Amino acid sequence: MKTHYYLSVFPTEALIASQLEPARFGQYMAIGSKNGSYEKIMFIELEGDFGDFFDWKYAKERCVPHSNGDPKNSVWMSVYRALEHTPVDKLRSMFLTTIDGRTLEIPRSDFVAPSVKKEYYVYQELCPVTPLVVSALNPAEFAAYMTDPKSHVQVPSLVFADLKVIDFGNPEKTGNIGATYDKNLEHLKQCIHAVTEHSGKVNKNVERSNVGSFGYQIISQGIYVGNAAKIAMYKMPTIEQVRQNHYDWGRSAMIL
């Protein structure tokens, strides 16, 4: 059986070896083997055998079938600084699993800067830190800013999603975006004003930690994994693409 290496980036940062294919791994991680263990999970499949931070020999020795022939579900290789020690060029597809174990694959793609500069973005940072941020920077600029080794406050690598924003003039037009802005709408408006009206202010925290209300339906263009040198994009399918090709996942993710 093939050994897969999965980098979990939400809700837990970890590197896990498994003999399960991605869809089965997502189901196993979301539902587990005990009643009541239901949670969404985001993970990325990796090319293995890189660097010396992870013990690949240990994983290969432990990630073997059970005596009855069943595949090994998981061998946890790291729960600390896993993202930091994973080069961006080792990332393959990302998988978004819902709380009932349905998984969507999103292929990795290159980031292309938007041709028209937006006034602001709203980002949900997912790993290794979790603030909700308003920024004047596009995703590549934001990743470089947040991981700049010359900065006094930085992380080595960052996973984050750009979010849909409420149409303040016509909130009903926005559609279903979950509960992300339910308790911080006025502060969100103030943060938007801070980065759009005051020169030199490029980022403003809306909340220091906000992942409890994060859902897939609020993701706008995609999810990004980047550092000061490189960025990978995982582009979200449109609602129509979800409806046509991933209907059950879309219902489970509350997108449809």
Side-chain angles (χ1 to χ4, degrees), residues 5-166:
Y5 298 102
Y6 298 120
L7 175 67
S8 170
V9 296
F10 178 85
T12 302
E13 179 183 3
L15 181 62
I16 306 167
S18 175
Q19 291 185 316
L20 301 178
E21 295 295 325
R24 286 188 62 194
F25 177 77
Q27 184 179 53
Y28 167 76
M29 292 294 291
I31 299 176
S33 57
K34 298 180 181 179
N35 292 333
S37 177
Y38 301 100
E39 63 179 357
K40 54 181 169 283
I41 175 174
M42 301 169 60
F43 60 97
I44 305 169
E45 187 165 14
L46 308 179
E47 297 178 25
D49 288 311
F50 56 83
D52 55 10
F53 182 81
F54 304 113
D55 192 339
W56 304 105
K57 182 174 181 290
Y58 166 83
K60 291 172 183 176
E61 291 174 346
R62 295 292 303 274
C63 200
V64 295
H66 294 281
S67 58
N68 64 358
D70 288 346
K72 184 73 172 179
N73 293 328
S74 62
V75 174
W76 290 68
M77 299 173 62
S78 176
V79 293
Y80 176 65
R81 298 173 68 186
L83 173 65
E84 172 186 348
H85 290 279
T86 301
V88 174
D89 59 8
K90 299 298 182 181
L91 304 175
R92 294 178 177 172
S93 290
M94 176 178 282
F95 299 87
L96 309 185
T97 301
T98 62
I99 59 172
D100 63 352
R102 300 180 188 276
T103 296
L104 172 72
E105 178 178 1
I106 304 179
R108 172 181 170 167
S109 60
D110 294 329
F111 173 76
V112 178
S115 56
V116 178
K117 182 176 175 60
K118 291 178 62 173
E119 267 197 304
Y120 67 90
Y121 296 82
V122 179
Y123 295 125
Q124 177 63 67
E125 298 180 41
L126 296 166
C127 183
V129 293
T130 58
L132 180 68
V133 179
V134 174
S135 178
L137 305 175
N138 73 35
E141 294 168 338
F142 182 72
Y145 182 95
M146 294 299 297
T147 62
D148 183 353
K150 297 178 182 178
S151 173
H152 290 294
V153 180
Q154 53 90 21
V155 292
S157 294
L158 185 66
V159 181
F160 60 100
D162 67 321
L163 306 188
K164 298 174 184 175
V165 183
I166 291 174

